Amino acid sequence: MRFVWFVVCVLGPCVSTAGQTEEQVDVLRDPWGVPHVFAPTEEAGFFGLGYATAEDRRLQMELVRRKGAGRLAEVFGPEWVQSDRESRIAGYPAWSREALAKLPAEMHSWLAAYAAGVNAWTSAHGEAVACRFQPLGVEPEPWTPADCLLAARAALSLGSPFSDHSVSQYHRFQELVAQGGEAAAEQHLHMAVEEAAAIVSETDMAQDAAAYQRLKNRPRMGGFRLQGTPTDGPKMSHAWAVGGARSQTGKPLLESDPQLPLSTPPFFYEFHLSAGPIDARGLGIPGCPGLFIGFNRHIAWGASALGTGSHAVFLEKLTADGQSYLFAGQAEPFTRRLERIRVKDGADVVQEVLGTRHGVVFNSLSQTTRPGEAHVLYDPQTIDCGTTVRAMLAFLTASNWTEFRAAMEHYYDPGLHIVYADDQNNIGYQTLVHRPLTVRTPRMAQEGWTGQQEITGRIPLDELPHMLNPAQGFISHANNMPVGTWYPFDLGLGTGGNGHTGRSWRLQQLLTGTHLYGVEDFEASVHRDAVNPLLTALLPIAIKVADEDQVEDATVQRLIHAVRGWDLRAETRTDYPAVAALSNVLTPYRGSGLNDLYGAGMGGVTNLARRLSADFARDGATPRGDRERAYLKRWLQASAQGTPGRGRATGATDDWTARMRQGAPEATGRTITIPYQSMIPLQLPKIDPALDIVSPPLTCLDAGTIWSQPGNVYTHIVDLAEIDNSRAMIAPGNCEDAASLLRTAGIELWVQGRTRPAPLSRDKVEQLRCSTTRLEVQAYDGPPAPPMWTVDQPGPGAQLVAAIPAVVAAPDTVPARPRPAAAQKPDDPQLEAAFRVILRASGTSNEEVDAQLAKARKYVEGKPELIQQLRGAAVLGIYLIEESAAG
């Protein structure tokens, strides 16, 4: 409860009462702002983690929670109504409570402890909270266990779940069917696939004989060859691992670089939790204590974006009056609910949400709805009342491949490529997504009215592409294609399209061979690799094509002259500033007519580069095809005219001609702005542009390289031979406090492409010159606490919550227990008045309670007798509230 936590965290050692035990939690914060929470039990540890996370990210947590709850407009005004409508239509607020109820009791108690820790820090640091929240004009409401799920869901959505693309694909396909039949339509939409780019080959998959045989017996999804544009959303790449035979220690090494645009504070939150059987660290979501990417004493894992998720879209036909929809020849009524969105400086918005047997209708968010149809989102995470957080919590204690994959069974979104390594000398890969089983590819809307295209389940985890200990001795991925065309299910076009990305190709170039790697090799030779393989492969060919075809464009000739002497090495690139203009290889490819030969998107460009460069290296031959030659010349022309590079950070200098006139190296002026609290790619409201950070000059802004500094938000390198030898980095820093140096503690490492120690052992952590916060906490074993605040309606008594409530079924009646001897009403009149106000908290404003707590704290400072009275009041408060809850 709020008052008890004030006594516990501020005044020192806890009081002991029946049903409660004292547990010491130490939060060690290293020089880079990473909290290391050491506690004897899981619940105490999660409390400490919640306390530390609130200290670092309490404002960001509030923004993410409001994003998920659809409550941004009530603080930021009418322009955020659309964002709120999306969350309300998706049903996230109600889902979070229902999903919480389905969690195992142990995990429920962990989240309750975490929420209590968040609220403890918030209550005890009113001045810091007021400073951070001042631009919002509101105070933070208490954090709840359900909010942990809500925050993770909002963050991991990586944008809106609602898209018309699959409906457009459906209509396009039907038009082609009407013209020439279904077979001709599928052939028309055919695109080339580079089979060699698959992460998991058919041979690798066949090592799991049972799963492979089931896959070979599966019917093939319709529309499998459907073309489309690969997602331009977050790439979140890359990761790789080498097995013991390729490392200097004889045990695996793993690196994960989940690239996302930088913001301050970052999208992810780095932490280390050592509590009971848990000893793990890595990246979580601010406001949720599970690990998305991380490692413990036995395993490590990294991730990149698959480019697809667990959603599907149904197209429903409406009845003539538009009041119902059709299913199998019968009219069915919509389900209906109303959502009220409060709007600052505006009238409330009431959103009616319609539902069908397939999901929620999102016509109001659609730009392409045709008369008589409804667009419906099928979202299995909401329908199942499941949550990816369950997997993230289970990852903490997984100790081998079998346990890790068991945890993955509970994962939904976003789709990932997972690379894995363990201390038993295994490396592995798993495509991870809760992908619905549909008759036709989920990239095309399903026909909801026929009853013939119903979802029949999900692709089983063991039938998703996976492998363990491949013969090549390494695993790498950077958004490339997970599996070849033998596979019967469509896993989406993905961020790499139909083949490699430039970075996945480069990783294979770097890791293929016999070199033995160490931690330092990973950091210096692979992590900091600044080669764009597409640029270096295509540039000599394009220059020769321009010479052969006598291209006369003056700007193209000036560009060719400016780069002709470059030897294609990353170390000499800064001597040729014009090279920076050439990084956009994708935009000129679109519309080139090469999809049928090489594939779509970045996969197509990479396939083209791989094939042309192989021919060029063999005999210096340039391509004979007119389309290939036209693409190469168009690329030079677009680069010469200053077309911004794909993925180039906002504010990055692209004027290569100006830099040449100045005689400046490429790095001069090449900075990026790191926005405060926008949490890209969620695009949260701008809070205070004055707190944006302008980076130091950067040397590798090319998004086509492994290093690619604008996206290098986090790195960890895990040594499975000696876990304390692991390294990490988060940029620009792990906290949001503008007054703290920790907000930019990672800048220097980030700019230099280096990492710092990331140990698990306490003695190694303490050697990092950490500061320590010691919390003496009370583990509460009584009946469940009263309900806390929910996203729909704050309940009375919201702040009167048990310290760490156990999740147990409360008996119908709770026997009265004797009043503890230590439970005493304070004799001092001022403390008694404060105590009465706090006990009336269910009907008292937060402001009044905070004022009383602050007043009491100041009043008893340095007065042992009064401190003892306050402790007695705490025991009495616990007793009275428990007896009241028991009736």
Side-chain angles (χ1 to χ4, degrees):
M1 66 192 61
R2 190 173 180 184
F3 178 58
V4 171
W5 281 119
F6 173 81
V7 175
V8 168
C9 297
V10 178
L11 298 180
C14 308
V15 292
S16 295
T17 66
Q20 296 173 340
T21 58
E22 295 181 12
E23 294 179 356
Q24 179 176 297
V25 179
D26 286 346
V27 180
L28 280 63
R29 195 174 294 279
D30 67 29
W32 301 279
V34 178
H36 304 259
V37 180
F38 293 93
T41 64
E42 296 101 308
E43 284 80 7
F46 280 101
F47 175 86
L49 179 58
Y51 190 94
T53 307
E55 181 177 2
D56 290 329
R57 304 286 188 96
R58 189 60 185 87
L59 175 56
Q60 185 185 49
M61 291 165 59
E62 182 68 20
L63 294 173
V64 177
R65 173 169 67 176
R66 286 184 175 273
K67 171 76 173 180
R71 296 184 62 201
L72 287 170
E74 68 182 63
V75 173
F76 297 101
E79 65 182 294
W80 292 94
V81 168
Q82 185 74 355
S83 173
D84 287 353
R85 290 171 67 213
E86 289 184 0
S87 296
R88 299 297 186 92
I89 290 172
Y92 291 161
W95 161 85
S96 67
R97 297 189 296 275
E98 293 164 358
L100 177 69
K102 290 188 66 175
L103 281 178
E106 179 181 53
M107 291 184 177
H108 195 300
S109 68
W110 292 352
L111 297 182
Y114 178 89
V118 171
N119 295 331
W121 183 87
T122 306
S123 295
H125 295 82
E127 186 175 340
V129 171
C131 181
R132 290 191 216 175
F133 276 73
Q134 188 275 331
L136 274 63
V138 298
E139 292 184 356
E141 293 158 321
W143 201 258
T144 74
D147 291 334
C148 299
L149 309 187
L150 195 62
R153 187 72 185 273
L156 295 178
S157 67
L158 299 177
S160 171
F162 301 104
S163 171
D164 292 332
H165 182 70
S166 61
V167 176
S168 299
Q169 288 282 29
Y170 170 84
H171 287 307
R172 180 188 179 202
F173 185 74
Q174 294 304 316
E175 289 166 1
L176 291 171
V177 169
Q179 294 171 12
E182 189 161 317
E186 292 215 16
Q187 183 59 35
H188 181 85
L189 294 175
H190 170 80
M191 67 176 178
V193 174
E194 186 185 8
E195 300 284 352
I199 299 171
V200 180
S201 69
E202 187 168 1
T203 301
D204 289 325
M205 193 70 188
Q207 297 303 306
D208 186 342
Y212 176 71
Q213 190 57 54
R214 288 195 298 273
L215 286 167
K216 297 298 284 187
N217 293 333
R218 290 275 195 179
R220 197 170 187 80
M221 273 185 178
F224 188 81
R225 298 287 188 163
L226 188 69
Q227 279 192 26
T229 302
T231 175
D232 285 324
K235 301 297 176 277
M236 208 165 65
S237 56
H238 25 258
W240 61 92
V242 297
R246 296 290 311 282
S247 80
Q248 296 170 4
T249 65
K251 288 290 184 73
L253 291 173
L254 178 145
E255 177 163 347
S256 185
D257 283 325
Q259 293 214 338
L260 284 170
L262 267 67
S263 58
T264 175
F267 182 92
F268 293 112
Y269 178 64
E270 185 180 4
F271 67 85
H272 171 205
L273 176 62
S274 179
I278 299 171
D279 194 4
R281 64 177 296 165
L283 289 185
I285 302 300
C288 179
L291 281 180
F292 187 71
I293 294 170
F295 61 96
N296 58 36
R297 292 199 170 273
H298 302 289
I299 71 169
W301 69 101
S304 74
L306 177 65
T308 192
S310 64
H311 300 125
V313 171
F314 277 85
L315 194 61
E316 310 279 21
K317 283 187 176 179
L318 304 182
T319 56
D321 61 6
Q323 298 303 303
S324 305
Y325 66 98
L326 298 173
F327 179 76
Q330 300 295 319
E332 296 196 357
F334 291 105
T335 61
R336 299 174 182 269
R337 59 182 164 89
L338 296 179
E339 294 281 344
R340 180 178 295 276
I341 300 171
R342 293 180 170 82
V343 183
K344 180 182 179 181
D345 300 327
D348 288 2
V349 173
V350 176
Q351 173 70 52
E352 184 179 36
V353 182
L354 304 182
T356 75
R357 61 170 52 229
H358 300 122
V360 292
V361 177
F362 63 97
N363 283 24
S364 61
L365 304 174
S366 174
Q367 303 298 316
T368 62
T369 309
R370 300 184 180 188
E373 71 180 23
H375 299 179
V376 174
L377 179 72
Y378 172 86
D379 176 8
Q381 190 167 190
T382 299
I383 291 171
D384 298 348
C385 294
T387 173
T388 288
V389 172
R390 182 170 178 177
M392 293 167 60
L393 291 171
F395 290 162
L396 295 168
T397 55
S399 62
N400 54 49
W401 179 241
T402 300
E403 292 177 0
F404 187 68
R405 294 190 79 220
M408 286 192 277
E409 290 282 3
H410 303 288
Y411 186 91
Y412 286 86
D413 275 316
L416 299 175
H417 302 284
I418 295 289
V419 65
Y420 165 94
D422 66 33
D423 61 359
Q424 298 302 305
N425 229 346
N426 297 304
I427 59 173
Y429 167 85
Q430 176 74 56
T431 299
L432 182 57
V433 66
H434 187 110
R435 190 72 166 163
L437 275 172
T438 54
V439 176
R440 291 192 174 276
T441 168
R443 287 188 285 133
M444 185 160 57
Q446 311 298 304
E447 295 177 346
W449 64 89
T450 67
Q452 302 301 308
Q453 296 186 11
E454 298 300 283
I455 289 173
T456 57
R458 59 171 289 188
I459 303 175
L461 184 73
D462 65 355
E463 293 182 24
L464 287 166
H466 64 274
M467 60 182 172
L468 192 66
N469 300 322
Q472 66 185 5
F474 72 88
I475 294 172
S476 63
H477 56 76
N479 309 133
N480 47 311
M481 184 174 70
V483 70
T485 56
W486 67 269
Y487 189 72
F489 304 127
D490 185 359
L491 295 176
L493 199 55
T495 55
N498 54 292
H500 271 296
T501 63
R503 284 167 294 165
S504 67
W505 181 24
R506 181 59 179 164
L507 281 173
Q508 285 202 344
Q509 293 174 342
L510 292 169
L511 297 175
T512 298
T514 59
H515 181 74
L516 299 182
Y517 288 94
V519 170
E520 294 75 14
D521 288 307
F522 264 24
E523 181 176 295
S525 301
V526 188
H527 171 71
R528 283 203 300 269
D529 185 79
V531 172
N532 182 329
L534 303 180
L535 190 158
T536 57
L538 293 173
L539 182 58
I541 306 171
I543 290 176
K544 190 171 182 180
V545 166
D547 290 344
E548 291 173 346
D549 292 358
Q550 299 180 350
V551 173
E552 296 180 355
D553 187 310
T555 60
V556 172
Q557 287 300 319
R558 189 162 59 249
L559 175 62
I560 290 174
H561 177 76
V563 301
R564 195 183 287 275
W566 183 41
D567 61 8
L568 305 181
R569 293 188 303 124
E571 307 90 88
T572 59
R573 178 170 168 165
T574 55
D575 297 329
Y576 295 86
V579 171
L582 290 158
S583 61
N584 184 7
V585 295
L586 178 62
T587 300
Y589 185 84
R590 290 171 174 159
S592 65
L594 293 170
N595 283 11
D596 60 331
L597 296 176
Y598 302 98
M602 190 58 72
V605 178
T606 309
N607 190 9
L608 171 72
R610 283 160 60 88
R611 289 163 61 176
L612 295 189
S613 63
D615 293 342
F616 190 74
R618 184 176 59 252
D619 55 20
T622 56
R624 294 183 179 181
D626 291 340
R627 285 183 288 176
E628 288 90 339
R629 298 177 77 86
Y631 160 71
L632 293 170
K633 289 182 286 188
R634 186 161 52 249
W635 171 47
L636 291 176
Q637 185 177 40
S639 300
Q641 294 173 352
T643 302
R646 183 175 185 266
R648 183 62 53 83
T650 301
T653 303
D654 265 316
D655 188 353
W656 62 273
T657 56
R659 292 199 300 278
M660 285 183 61
R661 287 194 300 270
Q662 298 164 1
E666 182 179 328
T668 299
R670 295 175 63 75
T671 63
I672 64 172
T673 297
I674 305 172
Y676 178 65
Q677 292 292 3
S678 66
M679 202 176 179
I680 300 169
L682 293 192
Q683 302 298 338
L684 295 173
K686 294 184 182 299
I687 302 300
D688 187 352
L691 295 179
D692 292 354
I693 297 172
V694 177
S695 75
L698 305 176
T699 58
C700 187
L701 279 80
D702 188 342
T705 69
I706 303 299
W707 191 4
S708 185
Q709 290 169 291
N712 186 204
V713 65
Y714 176 77
T715 295
H716 70 218
I717 304 174
V718 186
D719 183 350
L720 275 303
E722 177 49 67
I723 203 71
D724 286 332
N725 192 40
S726 301
R727 313 277 300 178
M729 182 282 304
I730 192 166
N734 207 33
C735 84
E736 67 186 6
D737 186 357
S740 172
L741 295 176
L742 296 179
R743 189 166 84 100
T744 56
I747 287 279
E748 183 177 356
L749 292 171
W750 167 59
V751 171
Q752 296 175 0
R754 296 189 296 111
T755 56
R756 33 76 178 166
L760 292 180
S761 299
R762 179 158 184 166
D763 60 335
K764 297 294 185 182
V765 172
E766 290 175 341
Q767 291 173 19
L768 300 178
R769 304 187 310 278
C770 298
S771 62
T772 301
T773 299
R774 176 157 294 173
L775 309 174
E776 301 286 348
V777 303
Q778 294 174 342
Y780 178 78
D781 296 319
M788 292 178 65
W789 173 81
T790 67
V791 292
D792 285 344
Q793 181 178 354
Q799 61 250 35
L800 292 179
V801 296
I804 304 180
V807 181
V808 295
D812 292 335
T813 60
V814 180
R817 61 182 177 87
R819 174 170 160 170
Q824 298 292 333
K825 185 176 71 173
D827 294 329
D828 183 272
Q830 188 165 329
L831 284 182
E832 181 183 7
F835 179 61
R836 290 183 180 279
V837 169
I838 293 165
L839 281 182
R840 295 199 314 269
S842 62
T844 306
S845 68
N846 287 343
E847 292 83 359
E848 187 174 355
V849 173
D850 286 338
Q852 289 295 335
L853 292 175
K855 186 176 180 181
R857 179 184 180 186
K858 185 175 181 180
Y859 182 63
V860 303
E861 187 175 359
K863 302 172 184 176
E865 181 180 351
L866 294 183
I867 291 175
Q868 189 60 38
Q869 287 191 39
L870 195 53
R871 289 177 178 161
V875 179
L876 178 60
I878 295 168
Y879 171 79
L880 292 175
I881 291 172
E882 288 180 353
E883 292 304 299
S884 175

